[in-house]
Amino acid sequence: MKYFFYSNRLLLCGLLLAASAGNVLATLGQAPSPPGASSSTPAQWPGTRKLAVVPAVPSSLYSLHESQLENGTMIREYTTLAGVVFAVAWRGPVLPDLSALLGGYFNAFKLGVEQARLSGKRGSPVNVQRDGLVIKSSGRMRNFFGYAYAPELVPAGVNINDVLQ
């Protein structure tokens, strides 16, 4: 019982840290929203500056949008031609708000982390592959990095390993 309480406490602390660390612009599985969008959804990320919208590859199979949070963390969102975010990546001094970044995929992430903790795996890095979600996250204070993608959303002809280098 003591182990169960301790592992749940660690999971809760990690999730609270992730949720309070900062805001992002993209949400996996949804269309990217420009800052100042007039919706009440999590598309209004205070403290976000849109830096660039650049094509990631000349083949035009997807687009790459880069944003920087006020805390210095860079967010890269990869979108299909239809405008759906199929992958996100981050690098910076602060871990982004993973609940906002993963959107509807956050519960799969939470369950994957909980299962890893129950099997004795603690700390960094985090590797989750379940329920249509692949996420790898690592780092330490002032140097966090990682990515997440939904395999079913990756456009045909795109090698996700090349994209997320």
Side-chain angles (χ1 to χ4, degrees), residues 5-163:
F5 176 73
Y6 180 74
S7 64
N8 281 342
R9 200 165 97 192
L10 282 177
L11 175 63
L12 180 60
C13 288
L15 293 176
L16 287 174
L17 176 64
S20 65
N23 295 318
V24 295
L25 186 64
T27 300
L28 193 62
Q30 298 178 9
S33 300
S38 62
S39 102
S40 60
T41 64
Q44 299 177 8
W45 304 114
T48 304
R49 292 181 289 160
K50 193 75 160 183
L51 292 182
V53 177
V54 295
V57 293
S59 68
S60 72
L61 293 174
Y62 62 92
S63 296
L64 169 63
H65 306 266
E66 293 182 333
S67 303
Q68 183 176 16
L69 304 178
E70 284 183 352
N71 62 28
T73 299
M74 292 293 298
I75 305 294
R76 300 178 100 193
E77 55 189 33
Y78 300 87
T79 60
T80 66
L81 296 178
V84 175
V85 177
F86 67 89
V88 291
W90 57 90
R91 177 173 290 281
V94 177
L95 187 66
D97 179 351
L98 293 180
S99 66
L101 190 67
L102 299 177
Y105 293 90
F106 186 69
N107 284 336
F109 166 71
K110 244 180 10 182
L111 289 173
V113 170
E114 185 175 311
Q115 284 182 344
R117 299 298 183 249
L118 289 175
S119 69
K121 297 177 186 172
R122 290 184 178 78
S124 188
V126 172
N127 295 307
V128 173
Q129 294 185 19
R130 63 175 291 126
D131 300 338
L133 173 69
V134 175
I135 183 169
K136 296 192 185 270
S137 181
S138 192
R140 56 188 167 81
M141 220 155 62
R142 298 187 186 167
N143 185 25
F144 291 97
F145 53 92
Y147 63 82
Y149 68 93
E152 71 273 3
L153 297 178
V154 176
V158 172
N159 182 339
I160 195 67
N161 295 322
D162 293 340
V163 171

